[in-house]
Amino acid sequence: MAAINHTHHMFCQRTFQEVPVGLFRGNSSQSLIVHGDVMAQVGLFTLLASALQFLLRPLKQPAFVPQILVGIALGPSGLGRDENLRKRFNPPASVMVMDIYAVVGFVFFVFLVGMKTDIFLIKKAGKMAYVVGVSAFLFPLAVTLPISHILRRRFRLETDFFAALPYVGAYECIIAFHVMSAFLTELKLLNSELGRLALSSSMISGTLGWCLAMFSIYHKNKEASNSRIADVEAQICNVFMILTFVFVFRPILFWMMKKTPEGKALKEHFFLSIVMMVLGTTLFSVFTGNHLLGPILLGLLVPEGPPMGSSLLDKLGYIQSVLLFPCYVISIGRKFNLSVLRHEAVVNVSVLIVIATLGKLLAVMIPSLYYNMPLRDSLSLGLLLNCQGFFDIYIYERALYFKLITRDCFGVMVVGAMVHTAIFMPLVRILYDPSRRYVAYKRRTIQHLPENVELRILTCIHEEEEDVAPIINLLQDSNPNYESPIGVYVLDLMELMGRSVPTLIAHPPDKPLSSKPTRTDRILNAFHKFGSRNEGSVSVQCFTAIAPYATMHDDVCSLALERSTTLVIVPFQKSYRPPIRAVNRSVLQMAPCSVGVLVIRNTSLENKSVPFVCRISLGVCLIFFGGADDREALSYASRMAGHPAAKLTVVRIYSLGNPTGEDLVEKRTDLNAINEFKIKTYDSRRVTYKEIGAKDATDTAAAVGKLNDQSFDLILVGRRHDEDSVLFRGFSEWSELPELGVVGDMLVSSDFKTTASVLIMQQQASVVDEMLRSPKFLPRVQPDHSLPK
């Protein structure tokens, strides 16, 4: 094997055979004390990092910044400067245990990094991503390397520090893909256009940078070994390891996944077997001189998503973040002392860091502007690709281990990485607003949709059993016909687990079912059957969005924008987890068209044995108060009235008297919509129109409560109403579900005994509407203050 000799500081420690039973039982063994010191340091790190992150929250700082600051503070730069305190709190024996925890923690960190890497992202990247990714690495590299040699010749010193300057310049040009993924997740930009471009570009640039780092380490190993036979042996071992991964470990991993039922967690003995694989491959990688290559390759082979990827991420990720990761950060802070850094090291390394930063910024912005990206977005992309994190520090640490850089260089580079992120992340938050692209300059509402034009509806699926059949029945009730067809876009929303890259998958209509149909297969089958039964009047296209809940709404809004949909339907269940309900709230805030929230309460809408139910009669009720959302609900109800089995009841509740401050333009628009509806349905025996006057909110609640006595299958109502109106005054104080509006919340409460499902409509607000209300309006999406933060 290739043996590499490195100089290390070592100390001997006496081993104890007795089993520690605790301090309170008369046993104060060295092992117990050492592990107590380690746990004390981990606890102090967690406490200080959490407190500092809370204090830095107004400055919009990511978690990386307070963690590095605390790691430095616990090292020789802070707490360790007091010798007595260092000996009591951080004795040499605990340092050894801490280092072991840190090494094991980073082994699993690298394994998880490989597991979350989508190597096919490079293949999927577009031309712009390739140009940005390659230039963001090569251009700053071409600038920093000559300047590093100029600095060496200027001082004419051949010390280890000046020999390390070219490596400093090269490593500062590397962009880490997983750092980018973590920061985009924290910024909630993972699914945005900027986020997808940043991921693709960083993957391409990071691959080039990783090859450079591996080549420099290999070159250093070759100089140290000075043996061709050792090099040949190492390469043979590498080939053997890769073949073992492909032909042994990969089939075993897929066999484990097949033995795990859908929806179930990975079996415990499978999990332990994979842990042993990680440790075994790490040991073999160390023997061959390729540190941590084994766990990275093994992580790449792990099947993505549930059940394997998600289970490993949950279990290993928790252990690593709570126990092992703090040990690694503390060990980083212990590797240098800011108070003794040499002036020449700070100046020269800082010069190279600034030059590499400017080089990357220009290398990103120039191609982006060439491809017609807006200036603010190109600047945001350049700042984002300049951010650095723990994977960059790991590369610096490997360079320090192989003596490519000095401890002075390492210290300045770690602080530089922290300063980069502390400055650039808040700037990206200020400059880039992903909601701007969803601003609507064109009417995309049912009310303004011309007759005999296809109604395009995007339906979202959160839970298969609860959502599929009710949504299909609602689509059937929307009266699709040859004169006014419906285009249905089905979006199956799945949480991103086990991978770093969000994915939007378009499913072909003729996709064959597998022998063991998955959740997605069953959903596609149900909607395609609905389309085939309405052939000629319904077209169906199916998609799957795999994304974290925090940015899942971007996929919904992007697809609605690209497909020019008129309506987005999101299902609502009180049993939904808070992250799912947060997705619905974000869709209501940012959707570029109208939105309907379907609250499922009718058992006839929940029939799960058939794709949809052909009802003999359909009772639909519309509650109309006035406003844009109620007019949208009226337009949708008018379309449903054309269904052969539909019986529509319109209940208009109006205010008695002449309240002050009433919007006369809005009132006239409401009356025009009602009159048009009456003219359209005047000869229909299946449409009933009622008007009820109300003096105050009590009368409003009584009028709505009378609907309990009638049997309806579906109730439609607008979402937003004037809460200052006498008809709704005080309702918001009792509202439990603000995303449904004051009336929608009343209809789905336990006090309302009807079994009818409720569809709450929100009409798209266009830029024209806002300009009419305010001449100073800027074309930006304003926050919906009725939604909880």
Side-chain angles (χ1 to χ4, degrees):
M1 301 296 177
I4 310 301
N5 295 321
H6 299 284
T7 303
H8 300 280
H9 297 287
M10 303 180 65
F11 64 90
C12 298
Q13 179 184 353
R14 179 185 174 188
T15 59
F16 293 84
Q17 300 297 325
E18 69 268 15
V19 179
V21 295
L23 291 172
F24 298 103
R25 299 186 179 181
N27 187 335
S28 57
S29 70
Q30 181 73 10
S31 175
L32 183 64
I33 295 174
V34 168
H35 285 83
D37 291 336
V38 173
M39 293 300 103
Q41 293 181 64
V42 171
L44 182 61
F45 170 86
T46 304
L47 178 63
L48 293 178
S50 301
L52 188 57
Q53 186 172 0
F54 176 78
L55 294 175
L56 294 177
R57 183 176 297 176
L59 300 178
K60 306 295 183 181
Q61 292 298 323
F64 169 73
V65 174
Q67 288 170 349
I68 283 294
L69 285 174
V70 173
I72 295 174
L74 295 180
S77 305
L79 189 65
R81 298 182 66 178
D82 190 319
E83 185 176 355
N84 294 327
L85 188 61
R86 183 177 68 249
K87 289 181 178 180
R88 292 176 63 88
F89 183 72
N90 192 15
S94 68
V95 170
M96 183 183 69
V97 176
M98 182 74 72
D99 286 343
I100 293 174
Y101 282 153
V103 170
V104 174
F106 211 82
V107 165
F108 285 108
F109 172 77
V110 171
F111 170 71
L112 294 175
V113 162
M115 193 183 70
K116 293 188 290 185
T117 301
D118 184 5
I119 58 177
F120 297 104
L121 184 64
I122 296 179
K123 183 179 179 181
K124 301 174 186 176
K127 184 177 180 180
M128 180 179 176
Y130 273 104
V131 173
V132 171
V134 172
S135 63
F137 174 72
L138 294 182
F139 180 74
L141 184 67
V143 175
T144 55
L145 287 182
I147 292 179
S148 65
H149 287 289
I150 291 174
L151 292 175
R152 290 177 62 181
R153 289 198 299 269
R154 176 188 174 187
F155 289 93
R156 297 180 181 179
L157 296 174
E158 295 300 329
T159 62
D160 292 340
F161 168 73
F162 287 100
L165 288 180
Y167 293 104
V168 172
Y171 285 145
E172 283 294 330
C173 300
I174 296 176
I175 300 174
F177 163 77
H178 296 284
V179 171
M180 206 56 49
S181 175
F183 287 156
L184 288 170
T185 301
E186 194 164 352
L187 290 169
K188 297 183 180 180
L189 297 178
L190 204 56
N191 292 27
S192 64
E193 283 185 315
L194 182 75
R196 294 181 187 276
L197 180 59
L199 282 178
S200 302
S201 303
S202 63
M203 173 69 82
I204 295 166
S205 180
T207 302
L208 296 175
W210 184 258
C211 293
L212 174 66
M214 291 297 100
F215 175 78
S216 61
I217 292 175
Y218 171 77
H219 181 70
K220 191 71 175 181
N221 286 347
K222 189 175 181 180
E223 290 180 353
S225 63
N226 196 23
S227 173
R228 293 186 177 181
I229 297 178
D231 292 337
V232 173
E233 290 178 347
Q235 298 306 320
I236 292 175
C237 290
N238 290 335
V239 173
F240 173 76
M241 183 169 59
I242 294 174
L243 293 177
T244 303
F245 282 145
V246 174
F247 295 105
V248 179
F249 289 155
R250 182 176 175 82
I252 291 175
L253 293 173
F254 275 92
W255 175 81
M256 290 179 180
M257 189 177 68
K258 290 180 181 179
K259 291 296 181 179
T260 305
E262 183 181 1
K264 301 293 183 179
L266 189 68
K267 296 179 181 179
E268 195 67 25
H269 58 278
F270 287 166
F271 171 74
L272 295 176
S273 299
I274 295 174
V275 170
M276 295 305 298
M277 288 183 189
V278 174
L279 297 177
T281 55
T282 303
L283 181 62
F284 189 79
S285 299
V286 173
F287 284 158
T288 61
N290 294 294
H291 295 250
L292 302 179
L293 179 62
I296 289 181
L297 294 178
L298 185 63
L300 291 172
L301 297 178
V302 173
E304 63 180 2
M308 182 170 289
S310 57
S311 296
L312 291 173
L313 194 60
D314 289 341
K315 295 181 179 180
L316 291 179
Y318 181 78
I319 297 173
Q320 182 215 8
S321 61
V322 172
L323 175 62
L324 303 178
F325 181 74
C327 297
Y328 175 70
V329 181
I330 294 172
S331 69
I332 290 174
R334 200 176 58 244
K335 286 183 171 61
F336 61 92
N337 188 349
L338 294 178
S339 62
V340 297
L341 289 180
R342 293 179 296 172
H343 175 73
E344 60 184 13
V346 175
V347 172
N348 288 277
V349 175
S350 298
V351 168
L352 290 177
I353 291 175
V354 171
I355 292 173
T357 302
L358 294 176
K360 276 193 281 189
L361 190 62
L362 291 175
V364 172
M365 290 187 64
I366 293 174
S368 301
L369 294 173
Y370 175 79
Y371 282 99
N372 299 319
M373 178 179 280
L375 177 62
R376 289 181 62 172
D377 293 356
S378 61
L379 178 59
S380 300
L381 181 62
L383 295 175
L384 196 57
L385 291 178
N386 265 296
C387 293
Q388 295 174 309
F390 283 110
F391 202 79
D392 298 280
I393 293 178
Y394 161 70
I395 296 176
Y396 305 156
E397 189 184 27
R398 290 289 91 193
L400 176 64
Y401 177 81
F402 288 101
K403 296 185 177 180
L404 300 177
I405 61 176
T406 64
R407 287 185 178 271
D408 289 342
C409 296
F410 178 75
V412 179
M413 294 170 78
V414 170
V415 175
M418 181 190 66
V419 173
H420 269 91
T421 305
I423 296 175
F424 295 153
M425 285 278 282
L427 288 178
V428 174
R429 293 180 190 271
I430 296 172
L431 290 172
Y432 186 72
D433 181 9
S435 63
R436 283 181 300 164
R437 64 188 297 255
Y438 304 133
V439 174
Y441 292 90
K442 184 178 180 181
R443 295 284 191 179
R444 290 183 181 172
T445 70
I446 301 176
Q447 180 185 357
H448 300 94
L449 185 71
E451 294 186 1
N452 304 326
V453 173
E454 180 185 53
L455 172 62
R456 297 187 177 185
I457 301 177
L458 173 61
T459 64
C460 302
I461 305 296
H462 290 304
E463 302 291 343
E464 175 193 353
E465 294 184 356
E466 297 179 353
D467 301 342
V468 173
I471 287 180
I472 289 179
N473 279 284
L474 179 63
L475 294 172
Q476 184 66 40
D477 297 339
S478 302
N479 190 29
N481 53 70
Y482 292 102
E483 289 77 19
S484 182
I486 292 180
V488 179
Y489 300 91
V490 184
L491 184 60
D492 182 19
L493 299 173
M494 301 177 63
E495 184 183 8
L496 179 67
M497 295 184 294
R499 279 290 183 262
S500 293
V501 182
T503 306
L504 181 64
I505 305 170
H507 300 285
D510 55 350
K511 178 184 177 182
L513 289 177
S514 60
S515 57
K516 293 183 178 180
T518 62
R519 159 198 159 114
T520 301
D521 292 333
R522 293 189 294 268
I523 292 174
L524 299 184
N525 185 42
F527 277 94
H528 283 312
K529 283 185 177 180
F530 164 68
S532 62
R533 294 191 184 188
N534 294 273
E535 188 174 359
S537 59
V538 173
S539 60
V540 177
Q541 295 185 36
C542 298
F543 301 84
T544 296
I546 305 174
Y549 284 127
T551 58
M552 194 175 282
H553 62 275
D554 280 324
D555 280 324
V556 179
C557 297
S558 297
L559 189 60
L561 185 69
E562 293 170 3
R563 303 293 170 167
S564 301
T565 62
T566 304
L567 177 65
V568 174
I569 296 177
V570 292
F572 177 90
Q573 293 276 357
K574 286 188 176 181
S575 60
Y576 282 168
R577 290 172 291 151
I580 296 180
R581 292 175 57 186
V583 173
N584 289 350
R585 292 195 293 268
S586 298
V587 172
L588 285 167
Q589 286 184 349
M590 300 182 184
C593 60
S594 296
V595 181
V597 182
L598 178 61
V599 182
I600 304 161
R601 296 181 66 177
N602 193 336
T603 55
S604 67
L605 287 177
E606 292 180 335
N607 191 317
K608 303 177 180 63
S609 60
V610 292
F612 63 90
V613 180
C614 297
R615 287 187 288 272
I616 299 176
S617 64
L618 171 65
V620 180
C621 176
L622 168 69
I623 306 176
F624 188 91
F625 292 95
D629 293 354
D630 280 10
R631 293 194 295 270
E632 188 73 0
L634 179 65
S635 301
Y636 199 20
S638 177
R639 181 184 180 94
M640 289 183 175
H643 193 285
K647 294 182 180 179
L648 174 62
T649 301
V650 178
V651 180
R652 182 190 173 214
I653 302 176
Y654 64 95
S655 175
L656 294 173
N658 188 18
T660 58
E662 188 175 12
D663 190 339
L664 298 180
V665 176
E666 193 77 5
K667 184 176 181 179
R668 182 181 296 275
T669 306
D670 293 336
L671 292 176
N672 289 338
I674 288 290
N675 291 332
E676 290 178 6
F677 171 77
K678 289 180 178 179
I679 294 172
K680 184 178 180 180
T681 60
Y682 80 96
D683 60 345
S684 176
R685 298 180 179 179
R686 293 181 286 107
V687 177
T688 304
Y689 179 79
K690 300 178 182 179
E691 288 190 353
I692 301 175
K695 296 180 180 179
D696 50 26
T698 303
D699 290 349
T700 301
V704 174
K706 291 179 181 179
L707 300 177
N708 273 323
D709 303 329
Q710 304 181 42
S711 58
F712 295 113
D713 298 301
L714 182 66
I715 299 176
L716 285 82
V717 69
R719 176 178 170 265
R720 295 168 296 188
H721 298 94
D722 184 6
E723 297 180 10
D724 295 330
S725 170
V726 294
L727 296 180
F728 309 105
R729 194 166 295 165
F731 279 1
S732 59
E733 298 177 3
W734 302 94
S735 179
E736 298 179 357
L737 305 168
E739 63 263 40
L740 303 183
V742 292
V743 181
D745 181 79
M746 184 194 310
L747 293 172
V748 303
S749 67
S750 56
D751 297 332
F752 201 74
K753 303 300 181 182
T754 184
T755 59
S757 295
V758 181
L759 182 64
I760 296 117
M761 299 292 294
Q762 174 182 286
Q763 189 178 71
Q764 167 218 31
S766 68
V767 173
V768 177
D769 295 333
E770 298 293 343
M771 292 178 66
L772 290 175
R773 294 190 183 115
S774 173
K776 297 181 180 180
F777 171 76
L778 294 176
R780 291 173 60 90
V781 172
Q782 302 297 328
D784 190 347
H785 298 290
S786 65
L787 298 180
K789 298 299 180 184

